[in-house]
Amino acid sequence: SVPHIIHIYRILHTITMASTTTPAAPLRQPLLSSTPPPPHRHDQNLTGGDMYVTARNSRNLQWSDIIVAPYPLRLTGFVMLPIVIVLISISAYATNAYVANLQWKGKPPCRKSPGAFAILNSKASPSLTAIIWSGVSKGEKLLHDAWLYRLDRPMNSRWIRIPHDDLASHHHLSMPQPRTKSSIATFGDSFAVMFGGDPNLQPPLEGVFFDDTWIITERKDKLVKTFHWYQVNTTVKPKKRRAHAATITRDAKNRSVASYWLYGGRNESGGVFRDVWQLPLELDDEDNILIDANSSIINANWRCVYGCNDTAVAGWELIDVWKWWKDRDEPIPRKGHSLTSSSSKNAPAAAFILAFGRLNNWMYMNDIWQFVPAADGDSGGTWQLISALDFLPNKTSDLNGHPMPRDHHAAFRNDDTLYFFGGRGGLNQSHDLYGPLGDLWKFNLTTSNWKCGNESTAGPAARWLPGADKYGNGRFVVFGGESYDEKKLNDLWEFDMESSTWQLRSS
């Protein structure tokens, strides 16, 4: 133990120091104190160069307790001291390695709403990797951890926890603060962009939501599988919010530019946003984000495209949703919705597709819209309704073959088909009766037809607020979330859109 090691070190240090300062004594003549030791102490004549110790308790040794003969004890002290130092160093290293081995192995804690979940590919050592960062664990505790899971190595796949510094910028060690209900979107498998979120979870909420933008991508200065964060520096940016949604699309005219689109969410006072924001990002020839090799900051400019001058819809219950639905050619403001990239075949000019979400505790939605920005690149744009809202359904027959209204689900697009999994929803306009869903729905953008599930294998348990991302040609991954009775999860599932099969990758 550490106390014993320190104790041994002090004894040897004392011996060494004394042996270098005490005058030599005659051979076979121990250096005894002038006053004989008390009866309970032992004394004996020691051979030349040995030591006479008067020790009541070795744990309370004093300088006066040790009387030193000249040699070879001095040599022994000099030899033993570096040996003990080496042993202590080896012990400390082995202990640290053992603790680190226990800490980095295993699986990530159960959680809902990861601050970031993205599937990225390392160009240095090609490997598709799911990255999980932050989120809310049991007891509504906000986590500050990061994990990797390799998807393309099924026989050797395992979770690997990443030390915080490995995700920090290698120049300024910048890192986002832990959070939940942020918006995260990936561009191919090259990089992911995150905006905003909630770091607090508990009232008071004033002044605590985030309005920062971060990009996570592969580290550029090492030929190892390492990712880290870069902060985006911009003077204009969206207001602080959580429960918003985002997606990334490539510019139809300039292939070297990708745009991160953001819509909706709620502010700290409960108001719900209806604004649309765009963040153009420059790409290199390999579709990676352009980053200055000597900086951890990316300079980019947010621009508001729609609803720029309007404040958030104040007071969750004050909006006349029926009047809004009838009189406005735009979605009801919402949070907990999803954005996916637009269909290139049917709407090449569209920026993104919006689906589902909720306005307040009784107004959940199941409609789908697409947003088409102004053709000249100026602010403005139009909303186009793709699938109509079932307004306040009370029973299954009111849904007209559509999915149940929901929020905080997973959504993906593959060719002309939209996929929706899970979320929190229900009927009867009662938030207290709503719960996690485990159904999978498909919407065909060409025929405008809905189809429920028909998976050929058993799938994940019902959940809402999972981490989710798409990769490759027609596969998406779902991680964690919250199920019934506020039970947090940490299983990882993969869905093959071509075969309509689920595969459990990590239980």
Side-chain angles (χ1 to χ4, degrees):
S1 66
V2 173
H4 288 98
I5 294 175
I6 295 174
H7 178 60
I8 295 172
Y9 169 77
R10 285 175 176 171
I11 293 176
L12 291 174
H13 179 69
T14 301
I15 293 171
T16 304
M17 294 298 297
S19 64
T20 58
T21 57
T22 304
L27 189 65
R28 292 184 173 275
Q29 182 63 40
L31 300 179
L32 302 177
S33 61
S34 58
T35 304
H40 68 274
R41 294 192 181 188
H42 64 281
D43 62 337
Q44 63 186 72
N45 289 333
L46 306 177
T47 57
D50 282 338
M51 175 182 67
Y52 173 75
V53 181
T54 59
R56 294 179 300 273
N57 186 342
S58 61
R59 292 180 180 273
N60 299 310
L61 284 176
Q62 304 296 325
W63 282 96
S64 59
D65 291 328
I66 299 178
I67 304 171
V68 182
Y71 69 94
L73 193 57
R74 283 180 292 180
L75 179 61
T76 304
F78 281 121
V79 172
M80 290 299 297
L81 181 59
I83 291 177
V84 171
I85 293 175
V86 171
L87 291 175
I88 292 174
S89 301
I90 294 175
S91 175
Y93 176 81
T95 302
N96 182 67
Y98 178 72
V99 172
N101 186 53
L102 291 178
Q103 186 178 15
W104 305 135
K105 284 188 175 180
K107 296 180 180 178
C110 299
R111 71 191 68 198
K112 68 178 179 180
S113 186
F117 182 91
I119 299 175
L120 300 178
N121 185 36
S122 170
K123 301 295 191 300
S125 55
S127 178
L128 283 169
T129 301
I131 302 175
I132 297 100
W133 175 78
S134 193
V136 181
S137 69
K138 298 177 181 179
E140 302 304 302
K141 176 185 176 182
L142 192 62
L143 296 168
H144 193 187
D145 58 351
W147 295 78
L148 298 181
Y149 186 89
R150 295 189 177 183
L151 290 163
D152 53 359
R153 299 182 183 180
M155 298 304 296
N156 299 316
S157 292
R158 65 181 180 92
W159 290 103
I160 303 173
R161 186 172 180 181
I162 316 172
H164 292 164
D165 290 349
D166 281 9
L167 281 179
S169 164
H170 57 296
H171 294 289
H172 300 288
L173 295 180
S174 57
M175 278 279 290
Q177 297 182 46
R179 64 194 68 194
T180 184
K181 294 188 176 180
S182 54
S183 62
I184 183 80
T186 56
F187 181 75
D189 54 15
S190 299
F191 62 90
V193 185
M194 178 184 71
F195 175 83
D198 181 4
N200 191 38
L201 302 178
Q202 302 294 332
L205 298 177
E206 188 66 30
V208 301
F209 287 3
F210 288 127
D211 59 0
D212 51 350
T213 308
W214 295 82
I215 293 177
I216 186 169
T217 187
E218 183 185 8
R219 173 170 273 178
K220 301 299 180 183
D221 61 344
K222 292 184 178 181
L223 293 178
V224 294
K225 188 163 188 59
T226 305
F227 302 93
H228 69 178
W229 291 102
Y230 291 87
Q231 189 167 14
V232 176
N233 180 35
T234 179
T235 54
V236 178
K237 54 188 174 182
K239 294 180 180 179
K240 297 179 179 180
R241 65 190 69 198
R242 79 173 196 186
H244 46 293
T247 190
I248 301 180
T249 61
R250 187 190 294 271
D251 192 287
K253 297 180 180 179
N254 186 352
R255 304 294 289 176
S256 64
V257 174
S259 290
Y260 177 77
W261 294 92
L262 182 146
Y263 170 79
R266 60 154 288 189
N267 63 17
E268 294 152 330
S269 61
V272 183
F273 292 106
R274 55 179 286 270
D275 50 353
V276 176
W277 287 79
Q278 178 189 18
L279 178 67
L281 299 167
E282 293 187 51
L283 308 175
D284 62 18
D285 294 338
E286 297 181 348
D287 287 345
N288 296 315
I289 189 76
L290 276 179
I291 301 174
D292 186 346
N294 298 315
S295 175
S296 64
I297 302 296
I298 298 175
N299 294 312
N301 295 312
W302 278 102
R303 58 188 294 262
C304 186
V305 176
Y306 188 90
C308 306
N309 298 322
D310 294 347
T311 58
V313 176
W316 291 8
E317 311 294 341
L318 299 182
I319 180 176
D320 186 339
V321 291
W322 180 252
K323 180 177 177 57
W324 185 291
W325 177 255
K326 289 294 185 181
D327 296 346
R328 290 177 177 253
D329 292 326
E330 68 171 290
I332 296 173
R334 63 193 68 195
K335 57 183 180 175
H337 49 284
S338 62
L339 295 190
T340 55
S341 59
S342 61
S343 171
S344 59
K345 293 181 180 179
N346 294 329
F352 59 83
I353 294 174
L354 162 71
F356 304 172
R358 70 181 176 108
L359 170 67
N360 48 40
N361 285 349
W362 55 270
M363 186 63 198
Y364 283 67
M365 290 165 274
N366 64 350
D367 51 344
I368 299 179
W369 295 75
Q370 69 180 8
F371 180 77
V372 180
D376 55 5
D378 293 336
S379 295
T382 58
W383 285 100
Q384 298 173 355
L385 180 63
I386 298 177
S387 179
L389 171 70
D390 293 308
F391 195 79
L392 303 177
N394 289 314
K395 53 187 181 297
T396 304
S397 59
D398 294 338
L399 294 173
N400 300 309
H402 298 169
M404 190 176 295
R406 65 192 67 200
D407 68 348
H408 296 303
H409 51 284
F412 311 94
R413 184 183 69 82
N414 190 49
D415 294 331
D416 280 350
T417 302
L418 298 175
Y419 290 79
F420 301 95
F421 169 75
R424 176 184 57 184
L427 301 170
N428 301 319
Q429 307 169 37
S430 176
H431 179 75
D432 295 336
L433 297 178
Y434 286 12
L437 304 172
D439 50 351
L440 177 72
W441 285 82
K442 306 172 187 177
F443 180 79
N444 189 295
L445 291 165
T446 302
T447 63
S448 298
N449 290 331
W450 283 102
K451 184 178 180 180
C452 182
N454 294 331
E455 305 97 307
S456 58
T457 57
R463 67 193 65 202
W464 62 293
L465 285 171
D469 197 12
K470 178 190 171 186
Y471 78 96
N473 185 18
R475 294 176 180 269
F476 67 80
V477 172
V478 174
F479 167 78
E482 181 174 295
S483 191
Y484 296 101
D485 299 323
E486 300 183 355
K487 179 182 179 181
K488 309 299 188 294
L489 306 170
N490 70 343
D491 52 346
L492 188 144
W493 291 80
E494 178 182 286
F495 184 77
D496 187 328
M497 302 180 192
E498 182 177 352
S499 62
S500 292
T501 56
W502 285 102
Q503 180 185 1
L504 178 62
R505 299 297 299 265
S506 177
S507 61

